[in-house]
Amino acid sequence: MVSWKELREPIVLYYDMKVLNDAEFLLLYDLYSPQNLDLPCDLYPHFDLQNLTEDECVAEFRLRKTGIPRLSQALRIPDVIICHQGTICEGTEGLCMLLKRLCYPCRYSDMVHLFARPVPVLCMITNQVLDYIYQAHSHRILQWNHQQLSQANLERFAEVVHRKGAPLNNCFAFVDGTVHPICRPGTVNQRLLYNGHKRVHGIKLQSVVTPDGMIANMYGPVEGRKHDAGMLAESHLLDDLRQYSFSLAGQLLCIYGDPAYPIRVHLQCPFRNGVLTPQMEAYNTSMSSVRTSVEWLFGDIINYFKFLDFKKDLKLGLSSVGKMYIVSAILRNGLTCLYGNTTSDFFPV
């Protein structure tokens, strides 16, 4: 099959020789236009957030128009982003590129019409913003966040959870692990990344969710086959709980997890093994009704950043799969601060 590159030059030549009239030339020239969008990027107007409507911003970036500069300011995105080869980009534009990339499974060529930049430049800027957010803010969820998890907040969260119907009056958050499916890896890593429970190849992450709808702590990624209890031990979360999990009055506080976790002083789980009394079953039911909030937040991350749900493009060694998930969790926290979410609505915090 003859490519468009082989035909466009003869079409121009025949038009110059008067073999083709104007109508024939325009029809053929348009028919054999380039199939990728790298080349005609200069035909599109330069990106300007002010030229977009409110609905376009929500559809393209998952944020309202006024929320984008607020998020950029909160993340302290630099005013100017300079790539290693000299390309210059405004910080807000770079953040929009990352949001557009994560919001829906798309190729960089699908973003050319919006940002009027070639594919390699879009890729470099997007990855640079991704790296910046991870380096500057990942510690806020990968380590114990003393601002979010202060003693006053822990006490307030425990009161809210108890008022919602939880039998425990000292539970301030919920912990759970999630399997994030990825593209099937090479033969060497298949056993490490295969999760027999979910029957997928993937990576696992552990999250602690507070009633205000925030991801307060996260650990990972780890190989998909690792058990939740193994992640808990590696994360040293229990060590942080022993040190910081107390109210202002010195009362011991705890988090709540599913039956996969061991029972500890600062980590409570449902009753399991053996015959359960009606009181035990009632306790499990009441705690389960409030623990589902952690599942909602996992769903929010995927629903708002659909690129993470396109496992065929999540290839270890070719893309920063774990980093993208952590950055998406940080962005989800930003969206929660701006607009709230299902969890914060369920617990009126």
Side-chain angles (χ1 to χ4, degrees):
M1 183 177 179
V2 180
S3 66
W4 63 268
K5 292 182 179 180
E6 298 173 347
L7 288 175
R8 279 173 75 90
E9 290 186 5
I11 290 173
V12 175
L13 180 61
Y14 288 143
Y15 177 71
D16 186 60
M17 296 170 57
K18 308 300 183 183
V19 176
L20 300 175
N21 58 36
D22 293 345
E24 292 172 335
F25 169 74
L26 292 175
L27 178 64
L28 291 173
Y29 197 80
D30 182 66
L31 180 63
Y32 293 100
S33 60
Q35 299 301 308
N36 60 19
L37 298 179
D38 288 346
L39 299 179
C41 63
D42 56 337
L43 301 179
Y44 300 104
H46 185 70
F47 175 80
D48 187 354
L49 183 62
Q50 300 305 318
N51 293 334
L52 300 179
T53 65
E54 188 80 10
D55 292 338
E56 287 176 330
C57 289
V58 173
E60 299 287 357
F61 312 126
R62 294 289 192 266
L63 275 87
R64 301 191 185 107
K65 191 172 182 178
T66 56
I68 294 175
R70 292 179 64 188
L71 180 62
S72 178
Q73 182 180 6
L75 294 174
R76 299 196 298 273
I77 302 295
D79 294 334
V80 177
I81 297 172
I82 304 177
C83 297
H84 67 275
Q85 88 320 350
T87 297
I88 297 176
C89 172
E90 292 184 358
T92 302
E93 181 182 358
L95 177 61
C96 289
M97 290 181 188
L98 177 63
L99 291 171
K100 172 63 178 177
R101 175 67 168 169
L102 294 176
C103 283
Y104 199 78
C106 68
R107 300 165 296 183
Y108 285 112
S109 58
D110 298 327
M111 298 164 55
V112 172
H113 74 282
L114 184 60
F115 297 101
R117 294 180 183 270
V119 167
V121 173
L122 289 172
C123 180
M124 284 186 289
I125 295 174
T126 301
N127 288 331
Q128 188 154 332
V129 177
L130 180 77
D131 291 340
Y132 172 81
I133 295 176
Y134 181 84
Q135 293 169 7
H137 301 287
S138 61
H139 67 279
R140 300 181 185 277
I141 60 175
L142 296 181
Q143 301 174 14
W144 187 270
N145 190 327
H146 292 278
Q147 182 178 0
Q148 168 70 9
L149 299 175
S150 65
Q151 287 182 304
N153 282 345
L154 298 187
E155 188 174 340
R156 182 166 61 100
F157 294 155
E159 292 175 358
V160 170
V161 173
H162 183 58
R163 285 202 306 265
K164 200 62 183 179
L168 294 174
N169 62 359
N170 65 337
C171 174
F172 68 88
F174 306 95
V175 61
D176 198 9
T178 181
V179 181
H180 186 55
I182 61 172
C183 183
R184 183 174 178 175
T187 307
V188 177
N189 295 321
Q190 283 188 17
R191 286 185 177 274
L192 287 174
L193 297 174
Y194 184 74
N195 184 276
H197 178 63
K198 298 293 185 179
R199 298 185 182 276
V200 295
H201 293 90
I203 57 176
K204 291 193 71 173
L205 297 106
Q206 170 186 280
S207 294
V208 176
V209 176
T210 49
D212 57 351
M214 298 287 282
I215 301 172
N217 186 267
M218 179 173 282
Y219 174 74
V222 298
E223 58 270 24
R225 72 173 184 176
K226 188 171 287 294
H227 193 270
D228 286 355
M231 277 199 301
L232 178 68
E234 289 184 0
S235 67
H236 299 289
L237 176 62
L238 287 177
D239 296 335
D240 291 332
L241 291 172
R242 294 188 194 102
Q243 187 174 0
Y244 305 115
S245 181
F246 297 93
S247 67
L248 292 172
Q251 178 190 6
L252 183 147
L253 301 177
C254 70
I255 60 177
Y256 188 84
D258 60 27
Y261 292 101
I263 297 179
R264 297 291 184 267
V265 175
H266 293 278
L267 174 60
Q268 296 298 303
C269 302
F271 288 102
R272 58 184 186 269
N273 300 332
V275 179
L276 301 183
T277 65
Q279 291 81 3
M280 291 178 179
E281 292 180 351
Y283 170 88
N284 288 351
T285 301
S286 299
M287 292 303 300
S288 177
S289 64
V290 292
R291 196 195 71 85
T292 52
S293 60
V294 67
E295 305 287 350
W296 297 341
L297 205 47
F298 285 144
D300 283 343
I301 295 175
I302 299 300
N303 290 334
Y304 274 80
F305 303 106
K306 285 289 189 180
F307 185 83
L308 300 175
D309 202 26
F310 187 58
K311 68 177 185 179
K312 290 186 178 180
D313 206 21
L314 301 177
K315 302 176 182 179
L316 290 184
L318 297 179
S319 57
S320 306
V321 181
K323 184 184 293 185
M324 282 192 290
Y325 195 95
I326 292 172
V327 169
S328 296
I330 295 171
L331 294 174
R332 177 60 257 188
N333 277 353
L335 290 173
T336 301
C337 292
L338 288 170
Y339 313 122
N341 60 18
T342 307
T343 302
S344 63
D345 292 339
F346 180 73
F347 300 101
V349 181

